Amino acid sequence: MSTGSKLKYVIELQARKQGSYLVVFSIIMIVIALGVAIGFSYLMRSPEGGDMLYLATGAPTIVLIMTALVTVPMQNAGAKMTGYLDFVKALPVGRKLFLIADVGIWALVTVPAIAISVFVAHLIFEPGYAISWTIVPAFVLMVLSCFAIGYGYSFVMPAELAMALSQLIAFISLMFSPINFPIERLPGWVQAVHEVLPIYHMAEVMRASLAHTTFEAEPISYIMLGAWTVVGFFGAARFLERA
Amino acid sequence: MAVIELDHVTKTYKSRGRRTVANDDVSLRVDAGEVFGLFGHNGAGKTTIVNQLLGLLKPDSGSIVIDGKDITKNRNLGRYLCSVQPQSKTPLGELTPRAVTRVMGQMRGISADEVDRRTTELFERLDIMQWADVQGNKLSGGVLRLTGFCMAAVAPGRVVILDEPTNDVDPVRRRFLWSAIRDLTKDGTAVVVVTHSIREAESAVDTMVILNEGKVITQGDVHQIKSETAGNRMKLEAVATAPEDRFVKPAWGESLKVADAKLTLAFERELAAEALKWAAEQRDGGLLAEYSLTEITLEDMYIELVGNKGAVAGVNR
């Protein structure tokens, strides 16, 4: 049997197992994205163009982080504890197909939230979006790096620890990450940490694609995301292939 | 012909500086077309053997050959050669028994029509058709277990591995299940059954191995092992209505045990008439309630061989 049809069956298994939960989750993500773009604007006395654009271009990054670095790792930790991953590892297919199928399904879940939040934010605030063609490769790179890290840490770490870390990531990415505000507002040492972590670079690349006339991402951001992708997938694949 | 051959397999777990020998120099063989019972207490090393067959674990030493292929050299082959019933706690989410059985069959390369035919056949056989299209998260433990069996049996291949297939299953469907298990062997598939329910497996398995603390303590043909160990003995079982010290072992009896208000007396088969007479006397004396003469079962032998001290702290991998 071809790898293509095996992949099809793995996708079917994963998609039908989660079923309506995937729909519920994509709706929740739409709410979160709108919450970041609209809700956070209430934090500011009079949101000016620049600040508003930060929120409007930050929301899609938050969606990716909440999905790939928070929700999926929680799921994976659960799958590990219930023995579902052992079941997956014993299926008569290549184990990397599971990773490909699952990343594909979850990446699709984020698309409506990202598209709708951008569209609604544009209607309400007209923050100054200027969508570049680079959105497509940038989205692919962000999806890959985000999910690679999410799968990587949740597979490699003990389940309980991965669950705890996922909650920490949710909190830090919302409050202490330069996604919804410029990095310069953070203390120097936090800036230095963010230069190494992937969150800041994701936000930079997302911003540069959604508002290319206002923002520009440094090449280092693309390189960092590429590096995190490799590290994450290496860890996840190693876990799956390990005896 | 051997479908599975384990040759001097040893597997050790290391955790926080402690070493646990899960399989200690295990050699065993499963032939085509037979039902093979893998018995042992919790922590005896049964699951470790299964996981090594599937390539989820790698033995420290020794070799594992399935269908002529050395899977210690190519660990990935194991899961293609063996179809396994998932552990009972494996969540199916919103997958229905029919959907998940179909996917498993198609993943193993059988055509959509054949999958449908086999699925219907299995569901009817096990009498679970009424749940065929109910989501997995709404199913009872027994139906999930039977679904797991169908997932492994829909496209069986050379080896089917069943882990406690009858747990949570009602007595009527248990019988259907054992007969479905027998059916799998008709075209030469070897079936490995891991179970604690030795009493019910007794009539269903052809060959077996008993593991204790990672070691094989006996293996081979079930009837042969029984006749060698049980010999020509039978036993009297009775409800004891008096404490142990009130009973006097008759001279012809081999062993007399009273535990939990149950008396067991083993003796040579030709003394059955004596035994019945003795039991009647004890009953008249008010020491026993109802009693019966039975054959020594595989479970009796298992307990004799492994003993109660075999119960070690379970390590589940």
Side-chain angles (χ1 to χ4, degrees), chain B residues 227-271:
Chain B
S227 65
E228 278 167 15
T229 320
N232 204 23
R233 290 179 301 160
M234 287 187 78
K235 63 177 179 174
L236 169 79
E237 279 184 335
V239 176
T241 50
E244 188 170 9
D245 52 18
R246 297 274 308 277
F247 291 96
V248 182
K249 184 171 82 72
W252 45 265
E254 278 180 23
S255 63
L256 183 139
K257 269 185 295 188
V258 181
D260 303 325
K262 191 180 156 194
L263 173 137
T264 315
L265 175 69
F267 53 86
E268 288 293 322
R269 188 176 294 274
E270 53 265 30
L271 295 165

Short mmCIF file of all heavy atoms in Angstrom, two decimals, chain B residues 227-271:
data_model
loop_
_atom_site.label_atom_id
_atom_site.label_comp_id
_atom_site.label_asym_id
_atom_site.label_seq_id
_atom_site.Cartn_x
_atom_site.Cartn_y
_atom_site.Cartn_z
N SER B 227 -1.46 -33.36 32.39
CA SER B 227 -1.37 -34.75 32.81
C SER B 227 -0.07 -35.00 33.56
O SER B 227 -0.03 -35.80 34.48
CB SER B 227 -1.53 -35.69 31.62
OG SER B 227 -0.45 -35.51 30.74
N GLU B 228 0.98 -34.24 33.19
CA GLU B 228 2.24 -34.43 33.92
C GLU B 228 2.16 -33.89 35.33
O GLU B 228 2.65 -34.50 36.27
CB GLU B 228 3.39 -33.73 33.18
CG GLU B 228 3.93 -34.55 32.04
CD GLU B 228 4.83 -33.73 31.13
OE1 GLU B 228 5.24 -32.63 31.53
OE2 GLU B 228 5.10 -34.20 30.01
N THR B 229 1.55 -32.74 35.48
CA THR B 229 1.53 -32.11 36.80
C THR B 229 0.41 -32.66 37.67
O THR B 229 0.62 -33.00 38.83
CB THR B 229 1.37 -30.58 36.67
OG1 THR B 229 2.16 -30.15 35.59
CG2 THR B 229 1.78 -29.89 37.93
N ALA B 230 -0.78 -32.76 37.09
CA ALA B 230 -1.91 -33.21 37.89
C ALA B 230 -1.88 -34.72 38.05
O ALA B 230 -2.43 -35.26 39.00
CB ALA B 230 -3.22 -32.77 37.25
N GLY B 231 -1.24 -35.39 37.09
CA GLY B 231 -1.16 -36.85 37.16
C GLY B 231 -2.56 -37.43 37.15
O GLY B 231 -3.42 -37.03 36.38
N ASN B 232 -2.79 -38.32 38.05
CA ASN B 232 -4.07 -39.02 38.07
C ASN B 232 -4.92 -38.55 39.25
O ASN B 232 -5.67 -39.31 39.83
CB ASN B 232 -3.79 -40.54 38.16
CG ASN B 232 -4.94 -41.33 37.61
OD1 ASN B 232 -5.72 -40.81 36.80
ND2 ASN B 232 -5.08 -42.56 38.06
N ARG B 233 -4.73 -37.25 39.58
CA ARG B 233 -5.40 -36.77 40.77
C ARG B 233 -6.73 -36.08 40.48
O ARG B 233 -6.98 -35.63 39.38
CB ARG B 233 -4.49 -35.79 41.51
CG ARG B 233 -3.30 -36.48 42.16
CD ARG B 233 -2.44 -35.47 42.86
NE ARG B 233 -1.95 -34.46 41.92
CZ ARG B 233 -1.50 -33.27 42.30
NH1 ARG B 233 -1.50 -32.92 43.56
NH2 ARG B 233 -1.05 -32.42 41.41
N MET B 234 -7.56 -36.04 41.48
CA MET B 234 -8.80 -35.26 41.43
C MET B 234 -8.86 -34.46 42.71
O MET B 234 -8.00 -34.57 43.58
CB MET B 234 -10.01 -36.19 41.38
CG MET B 234 -10.22 -36.88 40.08
SD MET B 234 -11.78 -37.77 40.13
CE MET B 234 -12.95 -36.45 39.86
N LYS B 235 -9.92 -33.67 42.85
CA LYS B 235 -10.06 -32.95 44.11
C LYS B 235 -11.51 -32.90 44.55
O LYS B 235 -12.43 -32.98 43.73
CB LYS B 235 -9.47 -31.54 44.00
CG LYS B 235 -10.18 -30.68 43.01
CD LYS B 235 -9.61 -29.28 43.00
CE LYS B 235 -10.36 -28.46 41.94
NZ LYS B 235 -10.01 -27.07 41.92
N LEU B 236 -11.65 -32.80 45.85
CA LEU B 236 -12.96 -32.61 46.45
C LEU B 236 -13.03 -31.15 46.88
O LEU B 236 -12.13 -30.66 47.56
CB LEU B 236 -13.11 -33.52 47.68
CG LEU B 236 -14.34 -33.25 48.56
CD1 LEU B 236 -15.57 -33.87 47.94
CD2 LEU B 236 -14.12 -33.82 49.96
N GLU B 237 -14.07 -30.47 46.44
CA GLU B 237 -14.25 -29.08 46.87
C GLU B 237 -15.53 -29.01 47.67
O GLU B 237 -16.54 -29.59 47.28
CB GLU B 237 -14.35 -28.15 45.66
CG GLU B 237 -13.00 -27.79 45.09
CD GLU B 237 -13.10 -26.80 43.95
OE1 GLU B 237 -14.14 -26.72 43.29
OE2 GLU B 237 -12.10 -26.10 43.74
N ALA B 238 -15.49 -28.29 48.78
CA ALA B 238 -16.68 -28.22 49.61
C ALA B 238 -16.72 -26.91 50.37
O ALA B 238 -15.69 -26.26 50.58
CB ALA B 238 -16.70 -29.39 50.59
N VAL B 239 -17.91 -26.52 50.78
CA VAL B 239 -18.06 -25.34 51.64
C VAL B 239 -17.83 -25.81 53.07
O VAL B 239 -18.53 -26.70 53.56
CB VAL B 239 -19.47 -24.74 51.48
CG1 VAL B 239 -19.65 -23.58 52.45
CG2 VAL B 239 -19.71 -24.31 50.04
N ALA B 240 -16.81 -25.24 53.70
CA ALA B 240 -16.50 -25.65 55.07
C ALA B 240 -17.33 -24.82 56.04
O ALA B 240 -17.36 -23.60 55.94
CB ALA B 240 -15.01 -25.46 55.35
N THR B 241 -17.99 -25.51 56.97
CA THR B 241 -18.80 -24.77 57.94
C THR B 241 -18.15 -24.80 59.32
O THR B 241 -18.74 -24.36 60.29
CB THR B 241 -20.23 -25.37 58.02
OG1 THR B 241 -20.10 -26.78 58.18
CG2 THR B 241 -21.02 -25.08 56.76
N ALA B 242 -16.95 -25.33 59.37
CA ALA B 242 -16.21 -25.37 60.64
C ALA B 242 -14.80 -24.87 60.39
O ALA B 242 -14.33 -24.89 59.25
CB ALA B 242 -16.18 -26.81 61.17
N PRO B 243 -14.09 -24.41 61.43
CA PRO B 243 -12.72 -23.93 61.24
C PRO B 243 -11.76 -25.08 60.89
O PRO B 243 -12.09 -26.26 61.09
CB PRO B 243 -12.35 -23.31 62.59
CG PRO B 243 -13.31 -23.87 63.57
CD PRO B 243 -14.55 -24.23 62.82
N GLU B 244 -10.60 -24.71 60.38
CA GLU B 244 -9.66 -25.67 59.84
C GLU B 244 -9.27 -26.77 60.85
O GLU B 244 -9.17 -27.95 60.49
CB GLU B 244 -8.38 -24.95 59.35
CG GLU B 244 -7.46 -25.87 58.61
CD GLU B 244 -6.32 -25.11 57.92
OE1 GLU B 244 -6.18 -23.90 58.18
OE2 GLU B 244 -5.59 -25.75 57.16
N ASP B 245 -9.10 -26.39 62.12
CA ASP B 245 -8.60 -27.38 63.09
C ASP B 245 -9.59 -28.50 63.41
O ASP B 245 -9.25 -29.47 64.07
CB ASP B 245 -8.11 -26.66 64.38
CG ASP B 245 -9.18 -25.74 64.94
OD1 ASP B 245 -10.36 -25.91 64.55
OD2 ASP B 245 -8.84 -24.84 65.74
N ARG B 246 -10.83 -28.33 62.95
CA ARG B 246 -11.81 -29.40 63.19
C ARG B 246 -11.70 -30.53 62.18
O ARG B 246 -12.28 -31.59 62.35
CB ARG B 246 -13.24 -28.83 63.14
CG ARG B 246 -13.55 -27.80 64.22
CD ARG B 246 -14.01 -28.43 65.53
NE ARG B 246 -15.10 -29.37 65.37
CZ ARG B 246 -16.38 -29.03 65.30
NH1 ARG B 246 -16.73 -27.77 65.37
NH2 ARG B 246 -17.31 -29.96 65.16
N PHE B 247 -10.95 -30.28 61.09
CA PHE B 247 -10.85 -31.30 60.05
C PHE B 247 -9.62 -32.18 60.27
O PHE B 247 -8.56 -31.68 60.62
CB PHE B 247 -10.75 -30.65 58.66
CG PHE B 247 -12.02 -29.97 58.23
CD1 PHE B 247 -12.19 -28.61 58.42
CD2 PHE B 247 -13.06 -30.70 57.68
CE1 PHE B 247 -13.36 -27.98 58.04
CE2 PHE B 247 -14.23 -30.08 57.29
CZ PHE B 247 -14.39 -28.72 57.47
N VAL B 248 -9.78 -33.46 60.03
CA VAL B 248 -8.64 -34.39 60.10
C VAL B 248 -8.44 -34.93 58.70
O VAL B 248 -9.37 -35.45 58.08
CB VAL B 248 -8.94 -35.55 61.07
CG1 VAL B 248 -7.73 -36.48 61.17
CG2 VAL B 248 -9.34 -35.00 62.43
N LYS B 249 -7.23 -34.77 58.17
CA LYS B 249 -6.96 -35.24 56.82
C LYS B 249 -7.03 -36.76 56.79
O LYS B 249 -6.34 -37.43 57.57
CB LYS B 249 -5.59 -34.78 56.35
CG LYS B 249 -5.28 -35.15 54.92
CD LYS B 249 -4.00 -34.49 54.42
CE LYS B 249 -2.75 -35.24 54.85
NZ LYS B 249 -2.54 -36.50 54.14
N PRO B 250 -7.87 -37.34 55.93
CA PRO B 250 -7.90 -38.80 55.85
C PRO B 250 -6.57 -39.32 55.32
O PRO B 250 -5.88 -38.61 54.57
CB PRO B 250 -9.04 -39.08 54.88
CG PRO B 250 -9.25 -37.81 54.12
CD PRO B 250 -8.80 -36.69 54.99
N ALA B 251 -6.21 -40.53 55.68
CA ALA B 251 -4.90 -41.08 55.34
C ALA B 251 -4.68 -41.14 53.82
O ALA B 251 -3.56 -40.96 53.34
CB ALA B 251 -4.77 -42.49 55.93
N TRP B 252 -5.73 -41.35 53.06
CA TRP B 252 -5.60 -41.46 51.61
C TRP B 252 -5.54 -40.11 50.90
O TRP B 252 -5.25 -40.01 49.71
CB TRP B 252 -6.75 -42.31 51.03
CG TRP B 252 -8.09 -41.91 51.62
CD1 TRP B 252 -8.70 -42.49 52.69
CD2 TRP B 252 -8.94 -40.84 51.20
NE1 TRP B 252 -9.89 -41.85 52.97
CE2 TRP B 252 -10.05 -40.84 52.07
CE3 TRP B 252 -8.86 -39.89 50.18
CZ2 TRP B 252 -11.08 -39.92 51.95
CZ3 TRP B 252 -9.89 -38.97 50.06
CH2 TRP B 252 -10.99 -38.99 50.95
N GLY B 253 -5.82 -39.06 51.61
CA GLY B 253 -5.81 -37.73 50.99
C GLY B 253 -4.39 -37.22 50.83
O GLY B 253 -3.52 -37.51 51.65
N GLU B 254 -4.12 -36.50 49.74
CA GLU B 254 -2.76 -35.98 49.53
C GLU B 254 -2.55 -34.66 50.23
O GLU B 254 -1.50 -34.39 50.79
CB GLU B 254 -2.50 -35.81 48.04
CG GLU B 254 -2.11 -37.10 47.39
CD GLU B 254 -1.85 -36.91 45.93
OE1 GLU B 254 -1.56 -35.77 45.51
OE2 GLU B 254 -1.96 -37.90 45.18
N SER B 255 -3.54 -33.81 50.11
CA SER B 255 -3.40 -32.51 50.76
C SER B 255 -4.78 -32.01 51.11
O SER B 255 -5.74 -32.24 50.36
CB SER B 255 -2.71 -31.50 49.83
OG SER B 255 -3.51 -31.30 48.70
N LEU B 256 -4.89 -31.37 52.26
CA LEU B 256 -6.16 -30.82 52.68
C LEU B 256 -5.96 -29.37 53.06
O LEU B 256 -5.04 -29.05 53.83
CB LEU B 256 -6.70 -31.62 53.87
CG LEU B 256 -8.09 -31.18 54.37
CD1 LEU B 256 -8.94 -32.39 54.70
CD2 LEU B 256 -8.00 -30.26 55.56
N LYS B 257 -6.75 -28.51 52.43
CA LYS B 257 -6.63 -27.08 52.71
C LYS B 257 -7.99 -26.52 53.03
O LYS B 257 -8.99 -26.88 52.39
CB LYS B 257 -6.07 -26.34 51.48
CG LYS B 257 -4.56 -26.23 51.47
CD LYS B 257 -4.10 -25.39 50.30
CE LYS B 257 -4.42 -26.06 48.98
NZ LYS B 257 -3.87 -25.42 47.80
N VAL B 258 -8.02 -25.67 54.02
CA VAL B 258 -9.26 -24.94 54.29
C VAL B 258 -8.90 -23.46 54.30
O VAL B 258 -8.04 -23.02 55.05
CB VAL B 258 -9.88 -25.32 55.65
CG1 VAL B 258 -11.18 -24.55 55.86
CG2 VAL B 258 -10.13 -26.81 55.72
N ALA B 259 -9.50 -22.73 53.42
CA ALA B 259 -9.25 -21.29 53.37
C ALA B 259 -10.52 -20.60 52.90
O ALA B 259 -11.19 -21.08 51.99
CB ALA B 259 -8.10 -20.99 52.40
N ASP B 260 -10.83 -19.50 53.55
CA ASP B 260 -12.01 -18.72 53.20
C ASP B 260 -13.26 -19.61 53.12
O ASP B 260 -14.00 -19.54 52.13
CB ASP B 260 -11.81 -17.97 51.87
CG ASP B 260 -10.60 -17.08 51.93
OD1 ASP B 260 -10.35 -16.53 53.02
OD2 ASP B 260 -9.90 -16.95 50.91
N ALA B 261 -13.44 -20.43 54.10
CA ALA B 261 -14.62 -21.31 54.18
C ALA B 261 -14.73 -22.26 53.00
O ALA B 261 -15.80 -22.72 52.64
CB ALA B 261 -15.90 -20.49 54.31
N LYS B 262 -13.56 -22.54 52.38
CA LYS B 262 -13.59 -23.49 51.27
C LYS B 262 -12.58 -24.61 51.55
O LYS B 262 -11.41 -24.34 51.86
CB LYS B 262 -13.23 -22.76 49.97
CG LYS B 262 -13.51 -23.60 48.74
CD LYS B 262 -13.15 -22.82 47.49
CE LYS B 262 -12.86 -23.79 46.37
NZ LYS B 262 -12.19 -23.16 45.25
N LEU B 263 -13.06 -25.84 51.47
CA LEU B 263 -12.17 -26.97 51.71
C LEU B 263 -11.78 -27.59 50.37
O LEU B 263 -12.61 -27.74 49.48
CB LEU B 263 -12.88 -28.01 52.58
CG LEU B 263 -12.15 -29.35 52.79
CD1 LEU B 263 -12.25 -29.78 54.25
CD2 LEU B 263 -12.69 -30.45 51.88
N THR B 264 -10.49 -27.90 50.24
CA THR B 264 -10.02 -28.58 49.03
C THR B 264 -9.19 -29.78 49.47
O THR B 264 -8.28 -29.66 50.28
CB THR B 264 -9.12 -27.65 48.19
OG1 THR B 264 -9.76 -26.38 48.10
CG2 THR B 264 -8.91 -28.21 46.79
N LEU B 265 -9.54 -30.92 48.94
CA LEU B 265 -8.83 -32.16 49.29
C LEU B 265 -8.44 -32.86 47.99
O LEU B 265 -9.30 -33.18 47.17
CB LEU B 265 -9.75 -33.05 50.13
CG LEU B 265 -9.23 -34.43 50.51
CD1 LEU B 265 -8.08 -34.33 51.49
CD2 LEU B 265 -10.36 -35.26 51.10
N ALA B 266 -7.13 -33.06 47.78
CA ALA B 266 -6.67 -33.74 46.56
C ALA B 266 -6.40 -35.20 46.86
O ALA B 266 -5.96 -35.55 47.97
CB ALA B 266 -5.41 -33.06 46.05
N PHE B 267 -6.67 -36.05 45.88
CA PHE B 267 -6.48 -37.49 46.10
C PHE B 267 -6.36 -38.20 44.75
O PHE B 267 -6.64 -37.61 43.70
CB PHE B 267 -7.68 -38.06 46.89
CG PHE B 267 -9.01 -37.72 46.26
CD1 PHE B 267 -9.54 -38.52 45.26
CD2 PHE B 267 -9.70 -36.57 46.65
CE1 PHE B 267 -10.74 -38.18 44.67
CE2 PHE B 267 -10.89 -36.24 46.05
CZ PHE B 267 -11.42 -37.04 45.05
N GLU B 268 -5.97 -39.47 44.78
CA GLU B 268 -5.85 -40.26 43.55
C GLU B 268 -7.24 -40.58 43.02
O GLU B 268 -8.16 -40.87 43.79
CB GLU B 268 -5.08 -41.55 43.83
CG GLU B 268 -3.60 -41.37 44.09
CD GLU B 268 -2.85 -40.91 42.85
OE1 GLU B 268 -3.17 -41.37 41.74
OE2 GLU B 268 -1.94 -40.05 42.99
N ARG B 269 -7.35 -40.62 41.69
CA ARG B 269 -8.64 -40.79 41.05
C ARG B 269 -9.41 -42.03 41.53
O ARG B 269 -10.62 -41.97 41.75
CB ARG B 269 -8.43 -40.88 39.53
CG ARG B 269 -9.69 -40.87 38.70
CD ARG B 269 -9.35 -40.86 37.24
NE ARG B 269 -8.68 -39.62 36.87
CZ ARG B 269 -9.31 -38.50 36.53
NH1 ARG B 269 -10.62 -38.48 36.52
NH2 ARG B 269 -8.67 -37.41 36.21
N GLU B 270 -8.70 -43.13 41.75
CA GLU B 270 -9.43 -44.36 42.10
C GLU B 270 -10.05 -44.30 43.50
O GLU B 270 -10.85 -45.15 43.87
CB GLU B 270 -8.52 -45.60 41.97
CG GLU B 270 -7.21 -45.52 42.70
CD GLU B 270 -6.11 -45.04 41.76
OE1 GLU B 270 -6.39 -44.27 40.82
OE2 GLU B 270 -4.96 -45.43 41.98
N LEU B 271 -9.68 -43.26 44.26
CA LEU B 271 -10.24 -43.14 45.60
C LEU B 271 -11.48 -42.25 45.64
O LEU B 271 -11.92 -41.82 46.71
CB LEU B 271 -9.17 -42.57 46.55
CG LEU B 271 -7.97 -43.51 46.75
CD1 LEU B 271 -6.81 -42.76 47.38
CD2 LEU B 271 -8.35 -44.71 47.60
#
